[in-house]
Amino acid sequence: MARSWAGKGGAMVLSFFFLLLVSTAVMAGRVMKDAGPAAETYKRKMLENGLGRTPQMGWNSWNHFGCNIDEKMIKETADALESTGLAKLGYQYVNLDDCWAESSRDSQGNLAAKSSTFPSGIKALADYVHAKGLKLGIYSDAGFYTCSKQMPGSLGHEDQDAKTFASWEVDYLKYDNCYNDGSSPQDRYNPMSKALLNSGRTIFFSLCEWGQADPATWARGVGNSWRTTGDIQDKWDSMTARADENNKWAGYAGPGGWNDPDMLEVGNGGMTTDEYRSHFSIWALAKAPLLIGCDVRAMSDETKEILSNDEVIAVNQDTLGVQGKKVKGDGSAEVWAGPLKGGGVAVVLWNRGSSQTSITANWSDIGLDPSAVVDVRDVWAHSTIWSVGGSITATVDTHACKMYVLTPK
């Protein structure tokens, strides 16, 4: 969430870059060229709660509403996810962020829904959301207070709060990092992970510690996703910076646990349609969580078109689960790419500069055999445009992108 006190602890810059693939067989088998730290990650324990086999999709209240949330708005959001068709595309989590609870615990020490804004309680809200085939998410903090300081955190109350969430039939927990005791995030996030596993309910665990202690290197055994960056803002420079920070940890993501460069800003008004399309394309390619951050009850046609692009979503939800990354940069002209199940490759030609430019991706850049001939699918135009060999070139407008799925013939 976008807060000035969200820490930006120094992130270790990985000096290694590995080839995405050396052949179609390598892509299908998810074998990495470099057997270094990234490959070693896959040998580490993964959180075995059965969730997060692909990146999570849904909606979160913070980016657009902040603390101005209530049960009526949440129900209307669930209704809108259903009526717009977004739910059928995979946006399943309806996630409350900060400010849903009373400022103090009840007489038994339990968290309690804020009576003025959630008078029916969280269990009733979960029932409403579940009746639509959706899932309810909630928010807490690995500190004494949440980031708004308007409700208690869960530090020292992990087992109690996990059981409370389970009793309400909550499906997802976003766990922030404010007002903590100064101990390591590992020491504070592990207890909640264990508490959720022992709660009697399967709950997706999203670590929001802002990339402060390089969670990509340890969080696969703790949660289903982990923030790799500070908080996003609805601005071009903020979005691109989050993409770059997240890119450094590409080798650590995979089924069951994902790098998280923060929630989507698409539709909140701070960027152009081309910039939002770039935002959505890079998040999809990077296997980032796709958590809508706008008011889905009042989306523009352009916003709905971006968020509803089933071909872009399919890249994000590809079951091979390899995070795409930047593979080539020539000034502001960049090539991002990643392998897909079945031997395909997703490619984004991204123009981060202030003028139109031509961008080329050579097969050697993206892990294809130099002699391969591929069908090129433009996933924004929804058309298969040509079969080519060796490279692909496109003219790209300022702050815009072209996104393709290449399928070897």
Side-chain angles (χ1 to χ4, degrees):
M1 53 183 66
R3 302 184 176 110
S4 61
W5 51 78
K8 297 182 179 179
M12 175 182 70
V13 178
L14 299 182
S15 60
F16 65 90
F17 288 90
F18 58 88
L19 295 177
L20 287 172
L21 291 172
V22 294
S23 68
T24 297
V26 171
M27 280 187 283
R30 193 180 173 200
V31 177
M32 297 182 184
K33 179 70 173 178
D34 187 339
E40 286 298 313
T41 299
Y42 292 107
K43 298 178 182 178
R44 299 174 186 165
K45 180 183 176 183
M46 183 177 68
L47 181 66
E48 294 294 349
N49 62 3
L51 300 177
R53 306 312 298 173
T54 59
Q56 68 267 35
M57 295 177 62
W59 173 90
N60 178 283
S61 60
W62 183 261
N63 282 0
H64 188 85
F65 294 96
C67 280
N68 297 316
I69 59 173
D70 58 42
E71 65 181 43
K72 178 176 181 291
M73 183 271 288
I74 300 299
K75 289 180 177 179
E76 289 175 351
T77 296
D79 295 343
L81 289 172
E82 182 181 47
S83 65
T84 58
L86 289 170
K88 288 184 178 179
L89 290 170
Y91 295 99
Q92 63 175 328
Y93 290 106
V94 181
N95 292 347
L96 307 181
D97 211 284
D98 205 347
C99 308
W100 61 266
E102 294 286 5
S103 59
S104 59
R105 294 175 178 270
D106 68 16
S107 58
Q108 285 77 46
N110 295 313
L111 293 171
K114 195 172 183 179
S115 60
S116 61
T117 50
F118 293 91
S120 302
I122 303 302
K123 177 59 168 65
L125 186 59
D127 290 345
Y128 185 91
V129 170
H130 292 157
K132 294 183 172 294
L134 298 169
K135 297 181 178 181
L136 185 72
I138 210 162
Y139 166 95
S140 191
D141 188 283
F144 301 112
Y145 305 96
T146 62
C147 294
S148 69
K149 212 174 182 181
Q150 293 188 26
M151 56 176 278
S154 291
L155 186 63
H157 294 267
E158 292 87 357
D159 288 330
Q160 182 177 19
D161 291 352
K163 289 176 181 176
T164 296
F165 300 149
S167 73
W168 292 340
E169 298 187 3
V170 164
D171 304 291
Y172 186 114
L173 174 63
K174 175 182 173 182
Y175 204 44
D176 222 327
N177 196 29
C178 290
Y179 299 108
N180 61 70
D181 61 2
S183 61
S184 75
Q186 293 97 314
D187 290 341
R188 290 179 289 106
Y189 280 81
N190 269 297
M192 181 56 82
S193 177
K194 293 174 182 177
L196 293 174
L197 290 173
N198 293 328
S199 70
R201 185 171 179 82
T202 303
I203 297 175
F204 190 106
F205 190 29
S206 170
L207 284 67
C208 182
E209 63 90 76
W210 323 314
Q212 192 173 60
D214 301 341
T217 64
W218 53 266
R220 281 189 66 83
V222 180
N224 299 111
S225 68
W226 46 85
R227 280 277 297 279
T228 53
T229 73
D231 296 336
I232 195 169
Q233 294 180 322
D234 187 19
K235 300 175 181 178
W236 170 257
D237 288 344
S238 175
M239 183 271 288
T240 56
R242 301 301 168 268
D244 291 339
E245 291 164 20
N246 188 65
N247 183 61
K248 292 181 282 190
W249 305 102
Y252 290 86
W258 307 99
N259 293 318
D260 178 7
D262 209 0
M263 299 169 291
L264 295 167
E265 292 283 7
V266 177
N268 279 327
M271 289 184 263
T272 68
T273 297
D274 278 343
E275 290 170 343
Y276 281 139
R277 193 174 287 118
S278 294
H279 179 16
F280 195 66
S281 298
I282 293 296
W283 260 237
L285 182 82
K287 302 299 187 291
L290 297 182
L291 295 175
I292 298 170
C294 69
D295 185 353
V296 295
R297 303 171 303 171
M299 289 185 296
S300 67
D301 290 341
E302 291 81 6
T303 295
K304 183 180 177 182
E305 184 242 342
I306 292 170
L307 296 173
S308 300
N309 189 316
D310 58 346
E311 295 190 61
V312 179
I313 291 170
V315 170
N316 179 260
Q317 296 292 296
D318 180 73
T319 56
L320 184 62
V322 176
Q323 179 175 326
K325 62 181 296 182
K326 182 166 70 173
V327 297
K328 180 183 179 182
D330 183 9
S332 58
E334 297 182 351
V335 178
W336 293 58
L340 302 172
K341 185 177 181 180
V345 179
V347 179
V348 175
L349 307 182
W350 193 12
N351 178 11
R352 293 168 62 162
S354 57
S355 60
Q356 188 182 78
T357 191
S358 178
I359 304 176
T360 297
N362 297 305
W363 284 186
S364 58
D365 300 325
I366 61 176
L368 283 172
D369 187 304
S371 64
V373 176
V374 304
D375 285 338
V376 177
R377 178 74 175 177
D378 185 328
V379 298
W380 284 109
H382 299 295
S383 62
T384 302
I385 49 179
W386 64 77
S387 295
V388 300
S391 67
I392 182 174
T393 300
T395 299
V396 185
D397 289 336
T398 178
H399 290 192
C401 74
K402 299 285 187 179
M403 186 172 185
Y404 306 105
V405 170
L406 309 183
T407 306
K409 296 173 70 68

